[in-house]
Amino acid sequence: MAATLHDVSRLAGVSIKTVSNVINDYPYVRDSTRQRVLAAIAELDYTPNLSARSLRSGRTNVISLIIPELRNVYFAELADSVMRAASERGLSVLIEQFGNDRESELSVLRNRSGRMVDGILYSVLGLDEADRQAIAEVTTPMVLLGERIFNGPKDHVTMQNVEGSRAATELLLDGGRRRVVALGAHPGEAIGSAGLRLAGYREALEAAGADYDERFVIPAGTWHRADGARAMRAFLETGLPFDGVVAFNDTLALGALRVLQEAGHRVPDDVALVGFDDIDETHYSMPTLSTIDPGRDEIARRAVQLLLRRIADPEPFEPEEIAVPFRVIERESTPARLPALQPEG
Amino acid sequence: MAATLHDVSRLAGVSIKTVSNVINDYPYVRDSTRQRVLAAIAELDYTPNLSARSLRSGRTNVISLIIPELRNVYFAELADSVMRAASERGLSVLIEQFGNDRESELSVLRNRSGRMVDGILYSVLGLDEADRQAIAEVTTPMVLLGERIFNGPKDHVTMQNVEGSRAATELLLDGGRRRVVALGAHPGEAIGSAGLRLAGYREALEAAGADYDERFVIPAGTWHRADGARAMRAFLETGLPFDGVVAFNDTLALGALRVLQEAGHRVPDDVALVGFDDIDETHYSMPTLSTIDPGRDEIARRAVQLLLRRIADPEPFEPEEIAVPFRVIERESTPARLPALQPEG
DNA sequence: ATGAAAGCGCTAACAT
DNA sequence: ATGTTAGCGCTTTCAT
C-alpha cells in the first residue's frame, strides 16, 4: 500500500497540513521541520496521490491531444511538438486518435470532453460547418489546430494553408512551369486543408495568368504515401502533358515521386515537385523535396499557451484566431529560381 | 459548474446509489427508474468526475507509454499500435518522451511511477544491467518493450532482435554478398537493440563462413535518417570494397540509401541493402526496402494484455518473457534469392 | 509556523 | 430494487 500524507505526518511528528506545505513549497515552514518532513517522505517513498489532488483542486495537469492518427508522420511530428510545449508548462498529454472517418471523430469529441483532462487540443480533420454545433458544445477548454473554421466558436491556431499552398505553386510557376498538377484534392470541400490548399493553388495560377484546368486536380481521400502514388498514377494515365506537381502534403509528394521516377520522368528536370509540411524525410528523399514549413513548433507553443489561458481565465473572452508564419523551403525537387523572374516581368 | 451524482439524484427523485447503479450498468434497476435517471443525466449533461472515481476505486484506466521520441517513426508506429490495443481494452494512453539521453530516461522512469496511471509500458532505450535496480524499484505495474534484459526483473515483450538481424544478414549472404557493412552499432553495448542486432549479424557471418571485420561495423549513436547518411559516408571514405549493407533500422537504411545513390552505387546491383522495422515508408522508397517486420501489433497486444493481468492480479507471479515472431520482407533493395542457394551448397 | 476539520464526487458495504 | 453512509487522499479555510 502506498504511503499517504497521514503516514508521513505521523512519522515526522507533524500535522498533514505541514507536510502539504512542504510538498507545495509553502515558504513559511521552519527549516528543521522541513528537513524532518523530507526525511519522512524519503523513508516512506511517498508520492502524492494525483487523483486525490485532482479531485480536490479541480486540476489534473493533463491535456488531451486529439488527432487522426499517429501513423501519419505529420501528426507524429505535431504530437512531438505539442508534448514538448506541454512539458515546458508542466502538463502531460493524453493522445486520442480517431482514424479517418467523421463518425469516430465526432464520437471522440463528444466522449472525451469529460475525460479527466483540463483542456483539449483538437486537430480537426473531417468536420465542417455542419458540425460547428458539436464543437461549440464542448465545455472543456479547447483550442483547435491546423484548419481554418471561419468565425469558429473556439480558439484556433492555424497554419497558413492558402498562403502556403499559393507560395508552393508560385515556386513552380516562377520557375517557368505552366502545366502544374495538384495532388490530394477533396472535391467539394471548402474549409479543410484540402480545400484551402486548392484555393491557394488557384490563386497562384490566376495571379500568373495560367489557366485552371480541372483535369489537373487529382483527388486523394487520405494523404498517405500510397494515396500519392495512386493519384499520380491516375493522372499519368490521362496522358496529359505536365511539368510540375504541387502535392498537398509531403507524404503525397513522396508517393508521387516514386511513381514519377518509375515512369521515367526526371525530377526536377522534366517535372518539378513541391510538397507541404516539411517532415523530416524531405531532407533525405532522392531528390530532396521542396516544401512548405508550416511552423509546427510555433503552432504547438501558441496553442498550449492559449489553452492554459483559457483554463485559468474564469472570464470568457472572445475566441482568438492565430495564424503562424510559414516558410518556403527550396530543395532539389524544384530547380533554382532566377531571383527576378516574375511571370509578368 | 458541472453536475454531480447528487444533482442527478435530486432531479430524478432517487438516491445517488441508484444513479450510480444506472451508470455502472447494475442490472437490478427497475426500467422506469432507469429511464427517469437517464433523462435526468441527459438534462443536466452529467458526466462522471473521473478523478473522484479514480480516487475511490484506485483505478484510472490510463496507462503510460514511455518512449524515446515520437519524431522517430518507429516509435510513432509503436505508439499507434499500443493505443489501438489499449483502446480495445478500454484504456487511454499517456505518452512520455524522454529523448535520447540516459539521464532523462532514468528521471522519467522515477518520476512517472506515481503519475496517476494504472500501469506503464516502457520502451527501454539506453539503460543496461547497471540500471536494473532502478527498473526493479518501480512499484507501478510495468511491462518492458522492445529490448532484451536477461533475467529481467519485470515482464518483457520483445521482438527477436538477434534472430531478426541474423535473418536480415543472411538475406544478403544467401544472395552471394560477402563484404557486408553493419550500420548503427553501439560499441561496447551488449543488451540493447544495437548490441543484439550486431550479435545477429556476427552469427550470420560465422554460419556462412564469412570473416568478421571490425572495419565493416559502423557506429551510429542515434538511429535517425541523418545518422544513417553520416555513417554510410564515413564508411565510403575508408574506400573499402563492399557489396551489402545491413542497417540496424529502416531510417538508418534510408539515410544510407540516399548516400549510396549519390555516390553512384546502384542498389541492389552493386550494393544490396536491408533494414529493420518495416516502417510504412519502406514500401515507397526508391528502390523499396527489404526489411524485418518485428511484429509491432503483436508486441503491443501482448504487452497490454500482460500489463492488465499484472494490474489485476494481486498475487505476484514470475516475470514473463515473450518474444513475438518476426518476418523477413524481401523487396527491391535486395536481389531475389535463388531458392536453394546456400553458402555451403 | 503549525494544527483541526471540512469536503471535493464517487464507489461499495451494508441496510431494508 | 433502492437508500444510507463511510471513506479514498488531498487542499484549504480558519484557528491558534
Side-chain angles (χ1 to χ4, degrees), chain A:
Chain A
M1 217 40 228
T4 74
L5 271 190
H6 280 98
D7 301 328
V8 175
S9 68
R10 213 174 303 127
L11 182 61
V14 298
S15 80
I16 63 166
K17 175 57 166 57
T18 302
V19 180
S20 178
N21 283 342
V22 169
I23 290 168
N24 296 300
D25 289 323
Y26 183 69
Y28 306 113
V29 179
R30 212 185 311 151
D31 203 55
S32 62
T33 314
R34 182 186 305 277
Q35 294 314 320
R36 212 140 33 90
V37 170
L38 288 174
I41 287 175
E43 180 170 345
L44 295 173
D45 196 20
Y46 167 79
T47 44
N49 179 317
L50 298 181
S51 296
R53 180 177 281 178
S54 305
L55 174 58
R56 181 60 234 225
S57 68
R59 286 281 308 264
T60 60
N61 291 318
V62 177
I63 61 175
S64 69
L65 172 66
I66 304 182
I67 53 175
E69 50 178 7
L70 235 28
R71 287 202 124 72
N72 186 319
V73 177
Y74 172 76
F75 291 107
E77 295 196 5
L78 176 67
D80 182 300
S81 295
V82 165
M83 289 174 56
R84 284 172 211 275
S87 150
E88 275 171 20
R89 307 302 213 87
L91 298 171
S92 297
V93 178
L94 199 65
I95 297 179
E96 304 272 353
Q97 325 190 68
F98 55 79
N100 276 304
D101 69 296
R102 195 165 152 285
E103 277 321 302
S104 37
E105 184 164 357
L106 278 169
S107 95
V108 165
L109 193 58
R110 292 223 171 82
N111 291 336
R112 298 317 173 193
S113 334
R115 255 270 168 228
M116 208 173 32
V117 296
D118 294 338
I120 299 171
L121 295 180
Y122 168 37
S123 185
V124 189
L125 183 72
L127 304 191
D128 56 23
E129 295 280 347
D131 304 300
R132 187 185 289 178
Q133 188 63 15
I135 292 172
E137 275 169 1
V138 174
T139 52
T140 310
M142 178 161 87
V143 172
L144 270 28
L145 293 177
E147 310 283 327
R148 182 174 300 167
I149 295 188
F150 288 114
N151 314 316
K154 296 287 180 185
D155 296 311
H156 185 210
V157 182
T158 182
M159 64 184 66
Q160 301 198 30
N161 279 300
V162 177
E163 298 78 358
S165 176
R166 174 173 174 162
T169 310
E170 283 169 351
L171 187 55
L172 304 187
L173 296 171
D174 290 1
R177 310 299 166 125
R178 275 299 170 279
R179 307 180 67 82
V180 177
V181 180
L183 234 57
H186 291 175
E189 181 194 274
I191 62 163
S193 330
L196 297 170
R197 291 179 194 178
L198 181 60
Y201 165 81
R202 296 191 68 159
E203 279 187 18
L205 289 184
E206 273 169 36
D211 281 341
Y212 173 75
D213 183 338
E214 282 206 337
R215 295 172 305 168
F216 280 67
V217 176
I218 314 299
T222 51
W223 285 0
H224 294 161
R225 213 176 297 265
D227 303 306
R230 206 176 300 125
M232 195 69 245
R233 238 177 255 121
F235 178 79
L236 289 181
E237 276 167 17
T238 66
L240 292 166
F242 68 112
D243 54 15
V245 175
V246 173
F248 288 168
N249 87 349
D250 286 339
T251 30
L252 282 171
L254 292 164
L257 176 59
R258 163 77 206 227
V259 168
L260 285 171
Q261 292 176 324
E262 277 179 350
H265 297 276
R266 290 169 307 159
V267 177
D269 310 26
D270 303 332
V271 177
L273 173 65
V274 57
F276 200 116
D277 283 349
D278 192 34
I279 63 175
D280 186 45
E281 186 182 344
T282 56
H283 292 87
Y284 298 96
S285 57
M286 183 88 173
T288 56
L289 185 67
S290 296
T291 187
I292 303 297
D293 168 8
R296 247 188 319 276
D297 283 343
E298 176 78 0
I299 289 175
R301 225 177 41 72
R302 300 290 298 267
V304 168
Q305 183 183 326
L306 197 47
L307 187 57
L308 277 174
R309 182 171 160 219
R310 188 60 76 181
I311 291 167
D313 216 327
E315 300 295 309
F317 49 94
E318 275 295 291
E320 286 196 36
E321 189 80 26
I322 296 174
V324 311
F326 68 92
R327 286 185 316 139
V328 178
I329 314 280
E330 298 191 41
R331 298 206 185 92
E332 294 166 0
S333 68
T334 51
R337 283 191 285 187
L338 299 181
L341 185 69
Q342 290 298 324
E344 51 278 327

Side-chain angles (χ1 to χ4, degrees), chain B:
Chain B
M1 217 38 225
T4 74
L5 272 190
H6 281 99
D7 300 328
V8 175
S9 69
R10 212 174 304 125
L11 182 61
V14 297
S15 79
I16 63 166
K17 176 58 165 59
T18 302
V19 180
S20 177
N21 283 342
V22 169
I23 290 168
N24 297 299
D25 289 324
Y26 183 71
Y28 304 114
V29 178
R30 211 188 310 152
D31 203 54
S32 61
T33 313
R34 183 186 303 277
Q35 294 313 322
R36 211 141 33 90
V37 170
L38 289 175
I41 287 176
E43 180 170 343
L44 295 173
D45 196 22
Y46 168 79
T47 43
N49 179 316
L50 298 181
S51 297
R53 179 178 282 176
S54 305
L55 174 59
R56 180 60 231 223
S57 67
R59 285 282 306 264
T60 60
N61 291 318
V62 177
I63 61 175
S64 69
L65 172 65
I66 303 182
I67 54 175
E69 49 178 8
L70 276 179
R71 287 202 121 72
N72 186 320
V73 178
Y74 173 76
F75 291 109
E77 296 196 6
L78 176 66
D80 181 299
S81 295
V82 165
M83 289 174 55
R84 284 172 211 276
S87 150
E88 275 171 21
R89 306 303 211 87
L91 299 171
S92 296
V93 178
L94 199 66
I95 297 180
E96 305 270 353
Q97 322 191 73
F98 55 78
N100 277 303
D101 69 295
R102 194 164 153 287
E103 276 322 302
S104 37
E105 183 164 358
L106 278 169
S107 95
V108 165
L109 193 59
R110 292 222 170 84
N111 291 336
R112 299 317 175 192
S113 334
R115 256 269 169 228
M116 208 175 31
V117 297
D118 292 340
I120 298 171
L121 294 179
Y122 167 37
S123 185
V124 189
L125 184 73
L127 304 191
D128 57 24
E129 296 279 349
D131 305 299
R132 186 185 290 177
Q133 188 64 14
I135 292 173
E137 275 169 3
V138 175
T139 52
T140 310
M142 180 162 85
V143 172
L144 270 29
L145 293 177
E147 308 282 328
R148 183 173 299 165
I149 295 189
F150 288 113
N151 314 315
K154 295 288 179 183
D155 296 311
H156 185 211
V157 182
T158 182
M159 63 184 66
Q160 301 197 30
N161 279 301
V162 177
E163 299 79 357
S165 176
R166 173 171 175 163
T169 309
E170 283 170 351
L171 187 55
L172 304 187
L173 296 171
D174 291 0
R177 310 298 165 124
R178 274 301 169 276
R179 306 180 68 81
V180 176
V181 180
L183 233 55
H186 290 175
E189 182 195 273
I191 62 163
S193 332
L196 297 169
R197 291 179 194 177
L198 181 60
Y201 165 81
R202 296 191 68 159
E203 278 186 21
L205 289 184
E206 273 168 37
D211 281 341
Y212 173 75
D213 183 338
E214 282 205 338
R215 294 173 305 167
F216 281 66
V217 177
I218 314 298
T222 51
W223 285 359
H224 293 161
R225 212 176 298 263
D227 303 305
R230 204 176 302 125
M232 195 69 244
R233 239 178 254 121
F235 178 78
L236 289 181
E237 276 168 18
T238 66
L240 292 166
F242 69 113
D243 54 14
V245 174
V246 172
F248 288 169
N249 87 349
D250 287 339
T251 31
L252 282 171
L254 293 165
L257 176 58
R258 163 80 207 224
V259 168
L260 285 171
Q261 292 176 323
E262 277 179 350
H265 297 276
R266 290 169 308 159
V267 176
D269 310 24
D270 304 331
V271 177
L273 173 66
V274 58
F276 200 114
D277 282 350
D278 192 35
I279 63 175
D280 186 44
E281 187 183 341
T282 55
H283 292 87
Y284 298 96
S285 56
M286 180 94 174
T288 56
L289 185 67
S290 296
T291 187
I292 303 298
D293 168 9
R296 247 187 319 276
D297 282 344
E298 176 79 1
I299 289 175
R301 224 176 41 73
R302 300 291 297 267
V304 168
Q305 182 183 325
L306 196 47
L307 186 58
L308 277 174
R309 184 173 158 215
R310 188 61 74 181
I311 291 168
D313 216 327
E315 300 295 311
F317 50 93
E318 277 294 292
E320 285 196 36
E321 188 80 27
I322 296 174
V324 310
F326 68 93
R327 286 185 317 138
V328 178
I329 313 280
E330 298 191 42
R331 298 207 185 92
E332 295 165 2
S333 68
T334 50
R337 283 191 286 188
L338 298 182
L341 185 68
Q342 290 297 326
E344 50 279 326

